[in-house]
Amino acid sequence: MRRWTRTIAVSALALLCAAAHAAEPRTVLLTADRVWTGDGQVHAGWAVLVSDGRIQDVGPLEKITAPVDAERIALPGKTLIPGLIDLHSHVLLHPYNETTWDDQVIKEQVEYRTLLAGKHAQATLQAGFTTLRDLGTEGANYADVAVKRAIEGGVVEGPRLLIATKAIVASYSYGPAERSYRPDMEIPYGAQPATGVDEVTKAVREQAAHGADWIKFYADYRTGVDGSSRPTFTMEEMKAMVAAAHITGRKVAAHASTDAAIRMAVLAGVDTIEHGYGASEATFRLMKERGTAYIPTLTAPEAIGEYFQKHVRGGEPTPSMKEAARAFALARKVGVVIGNGSDVGVFTHGTNARELEWMVRLGMTPNEALRAATSVAAEILGKGKDLGRLAPGALADVVAVDGDPTADIAALRKVGFVMKGGKVYRRPPGN
């Protein structure tokens, strides 16, 4: 009797699953006023056909043949673009005017921060960012591994995550700074400290084993006698980390703001430089020569200025903002590959598009900024075939925004539709 009951239950469950699967159309035809594919100009009257999580066809609506049972989603007044990519995020942080960085690391439980990260991930996806490279848990251990798993398992909604876990810092060079607290206190650290070639190599391998997709290290930090930023690792240590990462197929990101540290990191073979505010023209030329990409994080100094320097958005830039703008202009002049990365977490999750507005404000065309957040960003990640473009075979990450973002980048603030991997996460009322 028990066997028959079990057999009936399994059969019923199979029928329910089959019915649910049949109820979900495997093919979706998306139509809008315009389509921007990740390169070139915007196309009026085009459509996108999605099947089984990937793009099947893109082109003029009249030339696309959709199955009769395909779901048809019309998005009038909107432009379809590839899902956006942010190459520098911290889902386990929240704005420092809410809670200081030190207090987040020392006082907020990792469990609480992890739950917040789920909320941050959802806000990010709703804003049209379907992929994040998350560059460090900032004292939350390996919590990003859990957040990534929760997103992939459908426990929470969020963007596709490429994670760096703890990040690596030279011993006694990061925060919370020892000098700010009693010397007999044991306080949590914001990253994994290491000294010497053996320790840094071990740290890379440990983080990779725990689930790191990328390796991040801090090439400099505020360790000078006067509190100024100075290189922290030796060239030998940097080369060891790059070698240990690259042999496993992982790429390396280096936090670096001083010209000396940026140059050392580039010579060591890193794949991206984060921030890079103090880079000289000669160092940017070295980056171009070596194929090192630049992630400028222009929004971070604006946010810090607002929190701690009485900066009013739209007003006179702070010295840090001016330095960031100078570096960005130099990188563009030299022709360095520039990817979109905002350092979101320093400012509010879901407002990542502020970075693209800064890029345009400082000289990029809207088309260039959009490419930095789609096709260029995907190439930096080594995922150009799957991400950052609307083309047959690519993953179906599709976003619709009001108006035309190739004419006005501020259109990215008005997201009306989000699809990631063929699944719809946001749609206008009535669709």
Side-chain angles (χ1 to χ4, degrees):
M1 187 65 162
R2 187 175 298 169
R3 182 187 303 169
W4 281 105
T5 302
R6 184 167 59 248
T7 301
I8 292 170
V10 170
S11 299
L13 180 61
L15 287 170
L16 285 171
C17 290
H21 190 267
E24 293 181 5
R26 298 174 64 85
T27 302
V28 180
L29 180 67
L30 302 172
T31 59
D33 286 10
R34 296 162 294 273
V35 172
W36 184 77
T37 62
D39 205 357
Q41 300 303 309
V42 72
H43 301 279
W46 278 29
V48 177
L49 186 66
V50 172
S51 182
D52 293 327
R54 290 189 178 268
I55 295 172
Q56 182 175 319
D57 200 1
V58 180
L61 176 59
E62 65 272 14
K63 294 186 178 181
I64 292 181
T65 303
V68 293
D69 62 344
E71 180 183 4
R72 286 163 167 78
I73 300 178
L75 300 161
K78 293 178 170 53
T79 301
L80 295 175
I81 63 174
L84 298 167
I85 301 170
D86 192 328
L87 293 171
H88 193 126
S89 68
H90 295 282
V91 296
L92 286 143
L93 289 177
H94 57 99
Y96 302 164
N97 63 335
E98 297 174 357
T99 308
T100 66
W101 184 89
D102 272 27
D103 281 355
Q104 290 185 51
V105 174
I106 295 174
K107 297 180 180 180
E108 292 184 346
Q109 301 97 324
V110 172
E111 295 84 355
Y112 173 74
R113 293 179 63 189
T114 306
L115 289 169
L116 273 185
K119 181 179 178 181
H120 299 157
Q122 184 179 39
T124 302
L125 182 61
Q126 289 294 307
F129 285 80
T130 55
T131 301
L132 294 184
R133 184 182 61 155
D134 200 73
L135 288 183
T137 62
E138 305 293 336
N141 301 322
Y142 292 103
D144 56 349
V145 178
V147 175
K148 178 180 178 179
R149 179 182 176 186
I151 291 171
E152 291 177 347
V155 178
V156 296
E157 294 182 355
R160 186 178 295 102
L161 289 186
L162 299 168
I163 58 175
T165 67
K166 292 182 174 183
I168 304 170
V169 293
S171 299
Y172 307 107
S173 68
Y174 196 47
E178 285 79 5
R179 64 180 173 274
S180 300
Y181 300 91
R182 284 172 39 182
D184 60 332
M185 290 179 64
E186 290 189 14
I187 56 176
Y189 219 52
Q192 182 171 353
T195 294
V197 168
D198 289 348
E199 283 192 10
V200 299
T201 300
K202 182 179 179 181
V204 169
R205 291 172 179 166
E206 181 180 344
Q207 293 188 13
H210 278 84
D213 302 302
W214 276 68
I215 297 299
K216 179 191 178 182
F217 69 81
Y218 283 71
D220 58 14
Y221 212 67
R222 297 184 291 273
T223 58
V225 175
D226 58 353
S228 60
S229 290
R230 303 282 297 179
T232 52
F233 287 111
T234 66
M235 178 63 78
E236 290 73 20
E237 289 169 327
M238 290 188 192
K239 286 183 176 179
M241 285 185 283
V242 171
H246 282 180
I247 202 169
T248 70
R250 289 171 174 82
K251 293 187 175 185
V252 181
H255 164 114
S257 60
T258 61
D259 191 55
I262 297 164
R263 191 170 189 85
M264 289 173 68
V266 172
L267 290 171
V270 302
D271 299 281
T272 65
I273 292 292
E274 313 300 310
H275 315 302
Y277 305 137
S280 65
E281 182 170 337
T283 296
F284 275 127
R285 292 194 182 281
L286 179 66
M287 288 176 63
K288 182 180 180 182
E289 177 188 321
R290 295 294 185 99
T292 312
Y294 176 45
I295 315 302
T297 62
L298 300 166
T299 314
E302 177 188 51
I304 296 298
E306 290 174 345
Y307 304 155
F308 306 118
Q309 299 162 5
K310 299 182 180 180
H311 172 70
V312 177
R313 199 175 303 183
E316 177 66 19
T318 66
S320 294
M321 292 168 65
K322 290 178 181 178
E323 187 179 37
R326 179 205 63 84
F328 184 73
L330 267 180
R332 292 193 67 236
K333 172 186 172 183
V334 170
V336 175
V337 173
I338 300 175
N340 172 63
S342 67
D343 214 355
V344 68
V346 174
F347 61 98
T348 304
H349 294 276
T351 64
N352 310 55
R354 286 172 61 182
E355 184 73 13
L356 283 88
E357 293 182 20
W358 264 113
M359 288 179 163
V360 172
R361 198 174 297 137
L362 295 178
M364 275 189 172
T365 66
N367 200 305
E368 288 174 318
L370 284 167
R371 289 188 65 246
T374 54
S375 53
V376 172
E379 290 295 337
I380 290 170
L381 292 174
K383 297 184 177 294
K385 291 183 179 180
D386 285 333
L387 303 176
R389 62 197 186 106
L390 301 181
L395 286 171
D397 287 9
V398 189
V399 170
V401 299
D402 290 354
D404 180 1
T406 68
D408 180 7
I409 200 67
L412 296 181
R413 299 182 189 180
K414 300 176 182 178
V415 174
F417 175 87
V418 177
M419 172 185 279
K420 186 189 79 173
K423 181 177 178 180
V424 177
Y425 289 88
R426 179 172 186 166
R427 64 173 77 212
N431 268 285

